[in-house]
Amino acid sequence: MKPAAFEYIVADSVEMAVASLAQAGDAKIIAGGQSLVPMLNFRLLRPSVLVDINRIPDLAYVREDGGVIRIGALTRHHRLETSPVIARHFPVLTEAMAHVAHLAIRNRGTIGGSLAHGDPAAELPMMALLLDAELHIASVSGARAIAAREFFLDALTVDLAAGEIVTEIVLPKLPPRTGWGFAEVARRHGDFALAAAAATLSIAADSITEVRIALTGIGRTALRVAAAEKLIVGQTLRADVSNQVVEAVRAAIEPETDLHASSDYRRHLAGVLTSRALAAAWRRARESVA
Ligand SMILES: Cc1cc2nc3c(=O)[nH]c(=O)nc-3n(C[C@H](O)[C@H](O)[C@H](O)COP(=O)(O)OP(=O)(O)OC[C@H]3O[C@@H](n4cnc5c(N)ncnc54)[C@H](O)[C@@H]3O)c2cc1C
């Protein structure tokens, strides 16, 4: 199918983009177009105005800035995957990016587009939660910032009002001696995850000081599992602790059954993948130099 007719505006600045979005309540941004164009073609969306942000200079970057890394919303998936700054500070994100779709899609898709789209099986929302991201958002009324943990509301639903654009994603650096792990099951490599788990684990004097566990593919949004994270702090990752975490993860989630996997299978996967991600994070944390 072909999309319904729309007015097409190429914005050359964030100011122009938000002014153009403000023209019509149903205006949509187009970034990489990898999720939006199929929805237009199937006429699941019929915006009267499409605002193209691809020509806005300086909206695609990865910058180190003191204790944080700043990522422009138009940064393509492939750039994140190959960024030495990301590899140094967030190797878990480098690993996750290799699981996002296929190279052709990663060449076009953007971090802002993936977060704004809010697919419940996508890797970037999970990474935004794991890494305690803050999203910077602009509109004609001004700018605001929101923590990732408040941004994802439901499947394909995020805290973005009409007329708003995500401009930047800010990731605080992780503490020293932090290990990471990532584990995913998909039907074929590059497909959306049936389930995926990611963990970071920080240690001091061989005891765990902070743990983060995030999942995708097993609920209406990506999520953090606070009940499981709490169980590990102050401990070492013994087998009994790992088993308790797996049980806590399985108890905390309500996966849905769909064409690809049953709820029970996803719950099983969430436990197995969490224990793999945690074991890798524990190993890497202990191997790291104090
Ligand atoms: C075959 C296929 C397989 C895929 N597999 C995966 C996968 O395994 N994992 C995965 O994570 N993703 C996957 N994707 C999705 C891909 O990562 C998309 O690129 C991404 O979800 C959307 O990014 P985009 O830049 O293309 O956004 P677009 O398609 O341009 O936009 C998506 C939505 O976000 C809005 N938007 C875009 N940018 C902004 C912004 N800066 N501010 C506010 N709103 C904005 C748009 O208006 C639209 O509503 C797949 C896509 C395809 C086609």
Side-chain angles (χ1 to χ4, degrees):
M1 282 182 64
K2 295 276 180 277
F6 52 80
E7 186 189 346
Y8 176 66
I9 299 174
V10 178
D12 59 17
S13 65
V14 170
E15 293 70 31
M16 183 178 173
V18 294
S20 308
L21 288 171
Q23 278 181 27
D26 68 344
K28 292 294 278 182
I29 291 170
I30 182 163
Q34 299 302 298
S35 299
L36 183 66
V37 170
M39 293 176 89
L40 295 178
N41 285 348
F42 283 114
R43 301 203 176 190
L44 296 169
L45 287 173
R46 292 163 163 260
S48 58
V49 177
L50 213 54
V51 181
D52 188 337
I53 61 170
N54 283 278
R55 310 249 174 98
I56 300 180
D58 205 28
L59 203 56
Y61 54 83
V62 178
R63 278 186 205 134
E64 196 167 347
D65 180 10
V68 302
I69 304 297
R70 298 182 181 278
I71 304 173
L74 198 62
T75 305
R76 311 276 171 196
H77 300 334
H78 183 61
R79 179 149 174 206
L80 285 183
E81 184 186 359
T82 54
S83 159
V85 175
I86 297 295
R88 188 168 345 116
H89 293 286
F90 307 111
V92 67
L93 178 54
T94 306
E95 173 69 20
M97 294 318 294
H99 292 260
V100 175
H102 311 281
L103 185 57
I105 292 162
R106 295 201 294 273
N107 275 334
R108 292 300 303 163
T110 66
I111 183 169
S114 179
L115 298 181
H117 188 57
D119 191 294
E123 286 82 2
L124 274 164
M126 168 172 68
M127 286 296 120
L129 290 170
L130 182 78
L131 299 174
D132 281 341
E134 183 178 80
L135 285 80
H136 290 193
I137 293 169
S139 71
V140 282
S141 326
R144 68 181 176 108
I146 183 171
R149 64 180 174 278
E150 288 161 12
F151 185 68
F152 303 104
L153 303 177
D154 201 346
L156 305 181
T157 308
V158 298
D159 186 348
L160 259 189
E164 288 191 316
I165 174 173
V166 179
T167 53
E168 186 176 70
I169 294 87
V170 182
L171 303 179
K173 289 180 185 171
L174 293 162
R177 301 210 70 194
T178 295
W180 61 274
F182 179 92
E184 173 168 323
V185 169
R187 288 175 68 231
R188 293 163 303 196
H189 187 82
D191 281 3
F192 276 103
L194 288 184
T200 62
L201 186 155
S202 311
I203 58 173
D206 275 354
S207 128
I208 297 169
T209 52
E210 189 192 356
V211 176
R212 304 180 196 172
I213 299 169
L215 302 171
T216 195
I218 49 82
R220 308 256 330 148
T221 67
L223 54 106
R224 282 274 291 271
V225 198
E229 293 174 354
K230 277 190 218 139
L231 293 172
I232 321 177
V233 174
Q235 311 255 25
T236 58
L237 195 69
R238 302 184 311 270
D240 59 323
V241 174
S242 180
N243 291 341
Q244 283 171 24
V245 170
V246 166
E247 289 317 312
V249 165
R250 289 184 174 144
I253 58 177
E254 281 298 332
E256 293 185 3
T257 294
D258 65 18
L259 205 58
H260 305 299
S262 68
S263 172
D264 284 350
Y265 181 52
R266 283 200 162 94
R267 180 173 279 109
H268 169 76
L269 280 180
V272 172
L273 296 174
T274 299
S275 78
R276 286 183 193 165
L278 269 180
W282 171 242
R283 177 178 51 75
R284 288 187 172 111
R286 298 210 323 155
E287 284 169 3
S288 65
V289 181

